Amino acid sequence: MSRVIASPIHSSPPMTAPIAIPGATSRSVGASLSPPRRPPSTTGLAVSVVKKPSTAVQKYYTLSTTRTFASSFSKTSARMLSLHSVPRYNVDHFTRAMSEDELVEKIGAYHAIGIRSKTKITARVLKAATKLLVIGCFCIGTNQVDLQSAAQAGIPVFNSPFSNSRSVAELVMSELVVLSRQLFERAYELRTGIWNKQSKGCWEVRGKTLGIVGYGHIGSQLSVLAESFGMRVLFHDVINLMPLGSARQVDSLATLLAESDFVTLHVPELPETINMISKQELAGMKKGAYLINNARGKVVDIPALVDALKSGQLAGAAIDVFPSEPASNGAPFDDQLNAWASTLRNIPNVILSPHIGGSTEEAQRMIGEEVSQALSRYLGYGSTLGAVNFPEVDLRAITAEQGDHIRVCHVHKNQPGVLRAVNEAFSSYNVEKQYSDSKGDIAYLMADIAQVSPRDINQLRAAISANPANILTRLLA
């Protein structure tokens, strides 16, 4: 099945101010997008975090058909989603994560969806998403999306892999100090009216060894911050990486655990990382060490961690992510959600936080800008740069002077003969630019075709879509 978008050409000066949408609520968006010389002829998105909306600039493009965008967020903060420059574009904003059944019921009406980490886009949901063109994950992880099923449906998935790395790194640094000084316990005692000044079991972090598991964007930034505190830094990663500063890569996880006073985890959730820290690994850590997990909830075996804390093998822990998390603010974090929740809550010197590693104003603003730009580039220009499940293909924009040009965005199965058939369909036109790439079973071609008259569009679309390998075809004017 193919889905086609064809829209007229319009021009507009760059916009840098927040955008107001007619008929929408008072919520507005801090739009960081500046449309190039020729703005997208399909829907452009602007998503950002704004604390206080300012004066809006109203400038619009026209669509040949109304498109709909859904945003499903798990947090009810001042995080606003809206559509940049499209007055007839319906924007629905949901303040909590939807269940699979709710998504199946609603998603068929939408062409794009923006989600956070708690909204799960499963194969069943994708099957019901008959109009869906693109998914934006307004977070780092994408494990909440069935990436393979999305790719097979011709739907690229975009995320924000870098935007909150500094926020997470700073949270870890604060947890190092709070754990080593038992600050969480002393503060709680004083809030309950108990004065308990003591130094036993309290340490400086200077001179201690920090072990970082996963030396990516977060781990490497954390490495630099920790060294500025006078810490020795070790790290373990599945690939060899150039260390920053004086950090040193060790040959195995066991070596890192045995030498580190603090161990912090920064790995994705994969089959090989689930329960990567369990009974054996905890036993291999230094006695009196500390464990910090701001990565994914399933990478630590929590019952084994509870045992290690109760026995004194570990002196404390900081946990920001959990195997099962409440769907909305105010929901209970109890034994019905995780069988060990009440036990973990009552262990001394354990910091529990509600998945706030990237929850800063700066991180949320950057996530909104990065993902919204990726969605806008794909919907308006067909660019898949940064897609996590899709071939990364891009072409320079068609200029305003190229009024008879059409951009063909063709997602197809990666099999022999497809490009030959497509080029045969192009044979009556001048191909100005063309680029194709593949990833696994999916291939994606972008081509700019000149000298295309309006009456040729349906004929060109039909010729391309007739190929059995066709998954999705869009024509952008």
Side-chain angles (χ1 to χ4, degrees):
M1 178 182 66
S2 66
R3 300 183 287 274
V4 180
I5 299 175
S7 304
I9 302 169
H10 301 271
S11 60
S12 171
M15 292 178 295
T16 56
I19 307 301
I21 305 302
T25 66
S26 59
R27 294 173 176 173
S28 63
V29 177
S32 65
L33 298 181
S34 295
R37 295 172 59 190
R38 180 180 179 186
S41 57
T42 58
T43 55
L45 301 180
V47 184
S48 185
V49 181
V50 290
K51 195 167 186 179
K52 294 182 180 179
S54 57
T55 304
V57 175
Q58 299 190 11
K59 185 72 177 180
Y60 308 110
Y61 308 144
T62 302
L63 288 184
S64 60
T65 182
T66 300
R67 308 269 175 222
T68 309
F69 178 80
S71 65
S72 177
F73 279 134
S74 59
K75 298 180 174 64
T76 54
S77 64
R79 193 172 302 114
M80 314 303 179
L81 266 97
S82 192
L83 201 326
H84 145 25
S85 308
V86 184
R88 292 188 292 136
Y89 197 110
N90 300 321
V91 180
D92 294 334
H93 177 240
F94 303 92
T95 58
R96 64 173 182 84
M98 292 186 187
S99 67
E100 184 181 53
D101 288 340
E102 289 175 309
L103 282 168
V104 168
E105 179 184 353
K106 295 178 181 295
I107 200 168
Y110 296 102
H111 299 86
I113 185 168
I115 63 172
R116 299 282 294 193
S117 56
K118 291 186 178 66
T119 301
K120 311 297 182 184
I121 306 295
T122 63
R124 177 174 170 240
V125 172
L126 289 165
K127 188 176 181 180
T130 54
K131 297 180 181 178
L132 197 65
L133 294 172
V134 64
I135 297 170
C137 296
F138 287 78
C139 48
I140 288 182
T142 56
N143 57 301
Q144 70 273 39
V145 179
D146 187 330
L147 298 177
Q148 183 176 359
S149 294
Q152 290 172 348
I155 302 170
V157 179
F158 296 92
N159 68 334
S160 180
F162 318 118
S163 297
N164 71 359
S165 54
R166 176 70 182 202
S167 297
V168 177
E170 289 187 3
L171 178 63
V172 174
M173 290 305 305
S174 69
E175 290 168 338
L176 294 175
V177 176
V178 169
L179 287 172
S180 63
R181 297 295 297 274
Q182 299 179 16
L183 181 60
F184 187 81
E185 297 302 309
R186 300 294 84 77
Y188 177 77
E189 290 165 350
L190 198 55
R191 282 182 174 272
T192 59
I194 299 173
W195 184 273
N196 184 22
K197 180 180 178 180
Q198 62 174 284
S199 59
K200 183 178 181 182
C202 298
W203 314 93
E204 294 181 354
V205 297
R206 179 182 57 175
K208 305 303 187 294
T209 299
L210 173 63
I212 301 172
V213 182
Y215 201 68
H217 303 294
I218 297 171
S220 56
Q221 285 200 52
L222 176 61
S223 171
V224 175
L225 293 176
E227 286 198 342
S228 71
F229 271 63
M231 301 187 77
R232 171 178 174 249
V233 176
L234 305 176
F235 70 91
H236 172 65
D237 203 290
V238 293
I239 60 175
N240 291 325
L241 296 167
M242 183 181 73
L244 301 180
S246 300
R248 179 170 64 88
Q249 186 168 9
V250 295
D251 58 355
S252 67
L253 177 61
T255 300
L256 180 140
L257 297 175
E259 295 188 26
S260 300
D261 301 299
F262 298 86
V263 174
T264 179
L265 309 175
H266 302 284
V267 297
E269 183 182 308
L270 301 170
E272 54 268 32
T273 62
I274 293 177
N275 286 339
M276 70 179 299
I277 302 296
S278 192
K279 184 176 181 179
Q280 180 178 344
E281 289 74 25
L282 293 166
M285 293 177 66
K286 280 186 176 181
K287 186 173 179 60
Y290 304 87
L291 179 68
I292 298 173
N293 182 21
N294 289 286
R296 288 290 178 263
K298 293 183 180 180
V299 303
V300 175
D301 181 352
I302 300 293
L305 173 63
V306 168
D307 291 341
L309 290 164
K310 284 184 172 181
S311 69
Q313 170 64 13
L314 297 188
I319 308 295
D320 185 53
V321 288
F322 304 91
S324 297
E325 298 179 354
S328 61
N329 287 343
F333 182 78
D334 55 20
D335 290 351
Q336 291 186 348
L337 189 68
N338 295 292
W340 35 258
S342 60
T343 303
L344 186 63
R345 293 201 315 260
N346 289 297
I347 299 176
N349 209 28
V350 173
I351 302 170
L352 303 178
S353 52
H355 204 149
I356 59 170
S359 296
T360 62
E361 295 283 354
E362 295 88 349
Q364 296 308 304
R365 181 180 297 277
M366 288 188 288
I367 288 172
E369 291 173 354
E370 184 176 351
V371 179
S372 66
Q373 288 181 36
L375 296 178
S376 181
R377 285 194 301 267
Y378 178 70
L379 289 169
Y381 300 105
S383 172
T384 55
L385 291 181
V388 298
N389 67 328
F390 227 67
E392 296 190 68
V393 177
D394 190 27
L395 289 177
R396 66 183 182 272
I398 298 174
T399 66
E401 292 77 19
Q402 296 172 315
D404 63 346
H405 284 50
I406 291 292
R407 172 159 293 178
V408 177
C409 301
H410 178 49
V411 186
H412 59 89
K413 297 175 184 176
N414 185 19
Q415 61 187 44
V418 176
L419 293 183
R420 180 181 62 188
V422 170
N423 285 324
E424 286 177 357
F426 292 163
S427 61
S428 299
Y429 310 97
N430 183 31
V431 180
E432 295 279 351
K433 304 185 288 290
Q434 183 173 336
Y435 182 32
S436 178
D437 198 4
S438 62
K439 186 173 185 177
D441 296 331
I442 304 301
Y444 182 46
L445 175 141
M446 290 176 64
D448 289 348
I449 313 301
Q451 301 169 358
V452 181
S453 66
R455 64 178 178 273
D456 292 336
I457 291 178
N458 287 335
Q459 181 180 351
L460 183 60
R461 175 179 66 90
I464 298 172
S465 302
N467 193 303
N470 178 68
I471 296 175
L472 166 68
T473 298
R474 294 193 298 152
L475 304 183
L476 307 182

